[in-house]
Amino acid sequence: MSTERPSSYVVGLDLVRFACTLMVCVFHLSWHKAEMVTAMPFGWIGVQVFFVISGVVIANSAARASPLQFLKSRFLRLYPAAWLAAVVNFGLLLSVPLTVFGAAGVWVDPTPRALWYSLVLGGTTFLTSAYWTLPIELAFYGLILLAIFGGGVRRFLPVARLLVLASVPYCILLSRSLVAGFELGWLEFGYGPKNMFLLRHGIYFAIGMYFWLLNSQRRLALLDRVLLALVLLGAGLEIFARAMQIVGSYAPGPAGPMSVGFLVSGALAIFAVLAAIIYLSLRHARDWVPRPAVARTVRSLGLLTYPFYLIHEILGATVLHAAQQRGLGPAGALLVALPVIGATAWLIAMHGEPLLRRAIERLLGWQGRATRATLPR
């Protein structure tokens, strides 16, 4: 198997990542408001696309890394920004009435326990709901780490196969239970830590890994072409299940309650388009090379997506409340909130995170970058 990776910057990954962050943000700040519920009703699909991007990027960053290098790079990527975001989030929770978040439809937990879990990125509760995806990411990192110990890139294909064979049957069972109306019992994971088994979301990491493997090898064996088709079907079933589970939580809009068919069709269409962009961006990375100034701008957008995602609910609800108190309507308040969240995320990503990361490297004796992957981290 060839392990050659593209030397060009894959601009499409950061563009998709940033688009997904905006989608998730607008969704979370609008879906409980009757007058805004149609602003981005499919925005939750951005999380699934995040997992696909992780499958690509983590496979790439691990391909030439030792176990220690991989651990360093993942720690420095996840934790400094998360710690700074937790400071912002907890500070706002201490200074803003909790009714503000309830009015915005944003779930929060202002307890020290939730703060601790938001710092370690694991546990049963967090400062706000967006953090639920991070233990899933960590579980995937752990699986990749085992693959590195077991033989490096040669083990990535078995990992992708394992994720398909574990996740697709679960998604079939999950979607069937929602249609037929029977309970899964212990196998209903909700948003809890049992998702770290990757039975539900492993399909998305597998898609990303297969995209990366296709880009590395230029072809897949017949078995893996079948598994890729199967995992794409599994993704469709998981998206259907998510729509079924959350449709009742939307505020009734001007045309009445949201329909499952509308949610599923829109989410599937967006997922298909963004997945295609990810694959084509990898395939044509050497051809689609932006000018340096454009690449720097898009790279900055990609870097700020992680803190943006972590702070968008609490900071967004705070700004929405302040803007509406000054007479702005819901749409105008949202247009104010987005750049405020973006500016705060930019300060974290461009200034706070690098300073904290360098301090950690000095403290632990880690000099320089842990890996030099060419794809966005």
Side-chain angles (χ1 to χ4, degrees):
M1 177 189 302
S2 169
T3 60
E4 180 184 357
R5 294 176 292 172
S7 59
S8 303
Y9 168 55
V10 186
V11 66
L13 293 186
D14 274 334
L15 287 174
V16 171
R17 181 182 281 162
F18 183 68
C20 288
T21 303
L22 290 179
M23 286 166 45
V24 172
C25 177
V26 174
F27 166 71
H28 278 147
L29 298 180
S30 65
W31 71 308
H32 288 307
K33 296 179 182 296
E35 63 272 40
M36 290 290 291
V37 70
T38 57
M40 185 53 70
F42 320 112
W44 48 270
I45 198 64
V47 171
Q48 282 86 337
V49 179
F50 284 149
F51 291 148
V52 175
I53 294 174
S54 286
V56 173
V57 173
I58 300 309
N60 181 77
S61 66
R64 296 181 181 177
S66 68
L68 183 57
Q69 286 174 329
F70 180 73
L71 280 172
K72 287 179 181 179
S73 68
R74 290 302 93 201
F75 178 86
L76 292 173
R77 173 58 180 146
L78 252 66
Y79 282 92
W83 293 342
L84 294 171
V87 170
V88 173
N89 284 331
F90 197 62
L92 289 171
L93 289 177
L94 292 179
S95 56
V96 177
L98 296 183
T99 53
V100 167
F101 307 108
V106 171
W107 180 89
V108 296
D109 183 351
T111 63
R113 180 167 170 260
L115 172 61
W116 169 248
Y117 286 144
S118 300
L119 292 171
V120 300
L121 305 184
T124 55
T125 185
F126 300 99
L127 293 173
T128 191
S129 63
Y131 284 80
W132 75 272
T133 63
L134 298 181
I136 299 172
E137 291 277 355
L138 288 173
F140 177 59
Y141 296 172
L143 196 58
I144 293 296
L145 182 62
L146 290 176
I148 297 173
F149 275 116
V153 71
R154 293 188 302 276
R155 298 293 184 186
F156 288 178
L157 189 55
V159 169
R161 290 171 176 173
L162 173 64
L163 289 171
V164 176
L165 296 175
S167 291
V168 172
Y170 178 81
C171 290
I172 294 172
L173 179 64
L174 175 64
S175 59
R176 178 62 184 162
S177 73
L178 292 169
V179 172
F182 64 85
E183 298 292 331
L184 287 182
W186 189 88
L187 288 174
E188 175 51 63
F189 298 160
Y191 293 92
K194 286 188 286 187
N195 281 303
M196 293 180 72
F197 288 114
L198 301 180
L199 288 179
R200 178 163 185 167
H201 304 96
I203 47 176
Y204 299 109
F205 296 115
I207 292 170
M209 293 186 74
Y210 269 124
F211 283 177
W212 182 83
L213 287 163
L214 272 170
N215 190 55
S216 300
Q217 303 182 150
R218 300 297 175 183
R219 63 182 300 276
L220 290 175
L222 176 60
L223 170 62
D224 293 295
R225 292 200 296 270
V226 172
L227 290 177
L228 178 56
L230 189 61
V231 79
L232 290 170
L233 172 63
L237 292 174
E238 198 282 328
I239 291 168
F240 167 77
R242 180 67 69 201
M244 285 281 290
Q245 290 173 323
I246 67 173
V247 65
S249 299
Y250 284 80
M258 197 76 65
S259 74
V260 173
F262 175 68
L263 279 185
V264 172
S265 59
L268 282 174
I270 293 173
F271 180 82
V273 169
L274 294 180
I277 293 173
I278 291 170
Y279 174 73
L280 292 173
S281 296
L282 287 168
R283 202 70 165 176
H284 298 283
R286 295 183 185 276
D287 304 318
W288 300 350
V289 180
R291 288 180 235 174
V294 174
R296 285 193 297 270
T297 299
V298 176
R299 188 71 190 108
S300 297
L301 293 176
L303 289 173
L304 67 82
T305 55
Y306 178 45
F308 193 115
Y309 174 74
L310 292 179
I311 65 175
H312 78 271
E313 290 176 289
I314 291 176
L315 179 57
T318 303
V319 177
L320 286 180
H321 174 75
Q324 290 178 315
Q325 288 289 99
R326 287 161 176 77
L328 284 179
L334 183 59
L335 290 176
V336 171
L338 290 175
V340 172
I341 300 167
T344 306
W346 183 85
L347 288 172
I348 292 173
M350 298 297 132
H351 297 284
E353 182 187 2
L355 287 173
L356 182 54
R357 192 167 58 245
R358 286 194 293 269
I360 293 170
E361 288 176 328
R362 286 194 298 270
L363 179 65
L364 299 179
W366 297 347
Q367 300 300 318
R369 294 179 62 182
T371 60
R372 296 188 179 275
T374 57
L375 297 183
R377 60 193 174 100

